Amino acid sequence: MGNSQSKVDLYAAIRQDHRLGMSLRALQRRHNVTWRTVRRALDGQWPEPRKRQRRKESRLDPYRPLIDGMLRADLDAPPKQRHTAQRIFDRLVEGHGANDISYFMVRVYVKDRRREIRRQAGMGPEAMFVPQTHLPGAEAEVDFGDVHIVLAGVPTRVYLFSLRLSYSGKAVHRVFASCGQEAFFEGHVHAFRVLGGIPRGRIRYDNLRAAVERVLGFSRARVETDRWTAFRSHWGIDAFYCRPGIEGAHEKGGVEGQIGYFRRNHFVPVPEVASLAELNELVDGWDVADEGRRLRSRTRTIGACFAQEQPLLRPLPGEVFETGRWFTPRVDRFGQVTVRSNAYSVPVRFIGRQLRVLLHANDLVVYDGRTEVARHERLSGRGGSRLVLDHYLEALLRKPGAFPGSTPLEQARSAGRFTPVHDKWWAAARAAHGETAGTRALIEVLLLARHMEHEHVVAGLAAAHRAGALTADAVALEARKVAEGDAGEIPAPSRASPDGEVPSGTVTFLSDWKLSHLPPDTRPLPSVAHYDQLVTRRGRPARREKEGS
């Protein structure tokens, strides 16, 4: 019998040859088997089961009753004070002189024997699951998962919010800089708007700090945070909280598995993006693409099931709920407000005043009354700062010596707002006018960005530098020419060479530009004919008569 031939095939071949008239001895020679094998093949259709080998004696046999006693004692012990395999081995060595056994022998025995003892005690298996049926539009699950990305060239950990409908499996995702309450709320709002409704039944949650202030004992009762209670009431959410820890993970296993699938299939390789807004646009596209896949043995896609489920969702409320959190910090002497241990700049004219700050999951807006004065991308860590160079320009006009080493300047360079073109023009201006005057001229150029596009100002700087026009007026004029289309295509910084060179062009000085733009003078040439009457001598006789009298 060949190695690839099973015993069932062997028996079938022996019976076939026997029906063709082959004798028993010929069958033995042909198939190279004993007469007992031939007789068994002819007597039955199936081979007899293999006999279990007799268990060999082990050095662990004398200690099996001791181990079983320890495991039975664990049935009534607290969960965190039960024997491990290592502790059982140590007790056997220390208390019973079991120096002839190894830890590996004890671990293998304990692994299977612990389950048998629990079953014998009627405690059942450690984990047992009951299949569940989810009705369309009735239930959903929510959770956060952390993912790693490269944000503006920096490896960063961000948080993926996921809301998944239990019936169709349709999931909506959103990436945030943190998993705080603001992100928790904004993720819900985004998901409800994408789905076009709210589940009519329960939504399952972990015991997130954003929603749960305190877990009450071993029950399902929770003390919720005030803002979560108000948010849940506004949207009509019926919250169901899972058991704490890993034991409650299976109670919302759908969203747990969904986050894992989404991370493995869309965040591998690690995405490289310039901002979270760019990443969330990609996430929205991935959510739409995932509607075409099928879950497990379903015959319909997620999108087809969601089309059936969507009309059964409860409609969205008409009122708007503010998901951000308000703060009222005071601007310090550095022109900064501190929110959640991070500093953000505001215009220096607000130093010493108290402003209103609205903190969202991914951005932060500063208001003076109802007027927006600053907007920043939110920092996720602690002790960081996000400073805008434009906020400090008025102060730097008075203190130009503080400009070269300022933190806002370094952050502007890192963000690409202060380009090599700025540096070359600045160096030339300092060489021509001196350190203070040249720096002040650059600051005046930076002030132009409040009224003109950044690309136009950079193009004006490049043109003025080539012509040696090292004044803010010349830069403003060239920037206006680019904006009005007089200089053709805008030489954007992205098309500049590494050393800051921009394609050449012409430069017009301010005095020449003013003369060329004067309106035509249609007035007649001046005449001096009216002044001829002043040269007559009619007044001289009168003066002689007066002298004679």
Side-chain angles (χ1 to χ4, degrees):
M1 179 178 65
N3 294 333
S4 61
Q5 187 180 24
S6 68
K7 210 167 186 181
V8 175
D9 296 334
L10 174 64
Y11 278 25
I14 292 175
R15 287 193 295 269
Q16 178 68 21
D17 292 342
H18 183 262
R19 283 193 292 269
L20 295 177
M22 190 174 292
S23 65
L24 299 183
R25 187 175 296 278
L27 290 173
Q28 296 176 39
R29 289 195 299 268
R30 179 181 177 87
H31 296 284
N32 192 25
V33 294
T34 63
W35 66 270
R36 290 188 180 88
T37 301
V38 173
R39 177 50 54 192
R40 292 193 188 100
L42 298 178
D43 292 343
Q45 296 180 356
W46 291 94
E48 67 278 4
R50 183 182 297 272
K51 294 182 180 180
R52 297 185 63 180
Q53 294 184 354
R54 181 181 177 183
R55 188 181 66 83
K56 298 180 180 180
E57 294 184 357
S58 170
R59 298 194 302 271
L60 190 65
D61 288 347
Y63 306 103
R64 292 177 188 271
L66 297 175
I67 298 175
D68 292 349
M70 298 179 192
L71 296 177
R72 291 191 178 95
D74 283 346
L75 297 175
D76 299 323
K80 294 184 179 181
Q81 293 177 246
R82 295 173 183 172
H83 285 84
T84 62
Q86 182 65 51
R87 180 56 183 157
I88 292 175
F89 174 73
D90 293 340
R91 287 189 61 184
L92 293 176
V93 173
E94 296 172 2
H96 303 278
N99 296 318
D100 55 340
I101 63 174
S102 65
Y103 164 72
F104 178 76
M105 298 167 61
V106 175
R107 188 184 68 178
V108 172
Y109 179 74
V110 169
K111 179 180 178 181
D112 297 328
R113 187 59 178 157
R114 192 192 299 274
R115 297 193 186 96
E116 295 177 3
I117 290 177
R118 288 181 62 85
R119 279 196 295 269
Q120 293 172 3
M123 303 183 71
E126 296 181 356
M128 181 178 61
F129 302 95
V130 179
Q132 299 290 306
T133 298
H134 303 286
L135 299 178
E139 295 185 61
E141 303 168 358
V142 169
D143 200 7
F144 273 104
D146 59 324
V147 293
H148 292 266
I149 64 172
V150 179
L151 181 62
V154 180
T156 307
R157 183 175 72 169
V158 294
Y159 298 89
L160 180 69
F161 173 90
S162 178
L163 187 147
R164 179 183 183 272
L165 295 176
S166 301
Y167 171 75
S168 63
K170 168 64 177 175
V172 181
H173 302 85
R174 200 73 171 166
V175 177
F176 297 103
S178 71
C179 57
Q181 195 174 67
E182 297 81 17
F184 188 57
F185 289 175
E186 291 181 25
H188 278 83
V189 174
H190 173 72
F192 292 154
R193 289 175 178 170
V194 171
L195 298 175
I198 306 169
R200 296 180 179 274
R202 299 184 300 186
I203 300 181
R204 297 174 180 266
Y205 297 95
D206 274 339
N207 299 279
L208 300 170
R209 292 291 299 274
V212 176
E213 185 174 320
R214 188 168 69 254
V215 178
L216 300 179
F218 297 98
S219 67
R220 298 283 183 179
R222 302 289 188 270
V223 176
E224 298 178 337
T225 61
D226 292 339
R227 295 191 75 236
W228 166 242
T229 301
F231 180 87
R232 184 171 60 81
S233 175
H234 174 84
W235 292 95
I237 297 174
D238 182 11
F240 176 86
Y241 300 105
C242 301
R243 289 187 296 171
I246 193 66
E247 297 178 356
H250 69 276
E251 295 184 351
K252 54 178 185 59
V255 72
E256 296 274 358
Q258 170 65 31
I259 290 178
Y261 169 86
F262 203 80
R263 183 193 292 121
R264 291 189 299 271
N265 287 271
H266 299 302
F267 285 84
V268 177
V270 177
E272 299 184 13
V273 294
S275 65
L276 291 182
E278 177 186 344
L279 178 60
N280 279 319
E281 290 181 3
L282 297 175
V283 170
D284 292 341
W286 296 335
D287 284 341
V288 174
D290 282 347
E291 292 184 5
R293 68 187 185 98
R294 292 178 174 84
L295 298 179
R296 298 181 294 276
S297 59
R298 292 184 180 180
T299 58
R300 297 191 301 167
T301 63
I302 293 176
C305 294
F306 175 65
Q308 176 189 356
E309 183 175 27
Q310 200 279 332
L312 302 177
L313 298 175
R314 187 158 38 82
L316 301 175
E319 299 82 7
V320 177
F321 187 95
E322 179 54 68
T323 58
R325 174 167 291 189
W326 287 100
F327 297 87
T328 55
R330 187 173 297 277
V331 183
D332 61 18
R333 60 180 180 174
F334 295 100
Q336 301 171 12
V337 292
T338 302
V339 180
R340 295 282 178 86
S341 301
N342 289 311
Y344 303 88
S345 67
V346 297
V348 292
R349 66 179 182 275
F350 295 107
I351 289 178
R353 293 181 53 183
Q354 195 171 24
L355 302 179
R356 298 166 63 234
V357 176
L358 181 59
L359 180 67
H360 290 289
N362 288 340
D363 61 2
L364 173 145
V365 187
V366 184
Y367 292 93
D368 176 29
R370 296 186 178 181
T371 304
E372 179 181 326
V373 298
R375 180 182 291 267
H376 296 276
E377 186 176 346
R378 179 175 175 175
L379 293 167
S380 58
R382 288 179 172 268
S385 64
R386 195 174 294 281
L387 311 180
V388 177
L389 181 59
D390 182 74
H391 293 164
Y392 295 90
L393 294 181
E394 287 86 356
L396 291 171
L397 276 176
R398 300 193 302 268
K399 298 181 177 180
F403 183 80
S406 62
T407 304
L409 174 60
E410 295 305 317
Q411 292 194 9
R413 278 200 176 100
S414 301
R417 298 292 296 178
F418 196 89
T419 65
V421 179
H422 288 83
D423 277 317
K424 292 189 68 174
W425 192 92
W426 184 23
R430 284 183 295 177
H433 308 304
E435 193 75 24
T436 301
T439 301
R440 187 174 283 113
L442 175 66
I443 297 172
E444 292 175 354
V445 169
L446 295 176
L447 286 169
L448 296 175
R450 297 184 179 180
H451 312 288
M452 310 180 71
E453 294 293 333
H454 174 71
E455 292 80 5
H456 298 162
V457 176
V458 174
L461 275 170
H465 178 265
R466 287 191 304 272
L470 304 176
T471 62
D473 287 340
V475 175
L477 181 58
E478 290 303 313
R480 270 191 216 102
K481 288 175 56 179
V482 175
E484 295 171 0
D486 294 339
E489 184 183 3
I490 300 173
S494 60
R495 296 189 293 274
S497 61
D499 60 351
E501 287 292 344
V502 181
S504 61
T506 59
V507 64
T508 304
F509 290 94
L510 185 59
S511 58
D512 298 336
W513 183 86
K514 288 180 178 179
L515 291 175
S516 63
H517 284 69
L518 289 176
D521 191 358
T522 59
R523 296 175 298 176
L525 292 175
S527 174
V528 295
H530 297 289
Y531 294 93
D532 291 341
Q533 59 183 339
L534 299 179
V535 299
T536 61
R537 301 179 178 272
R538 288 179 297 176
R540 290 185 178 180
R543 285 198 296 271
R544 284 197 298 268
E545 293 176 0
K546 186 177 181 180
E547 292 175 357
S549 62

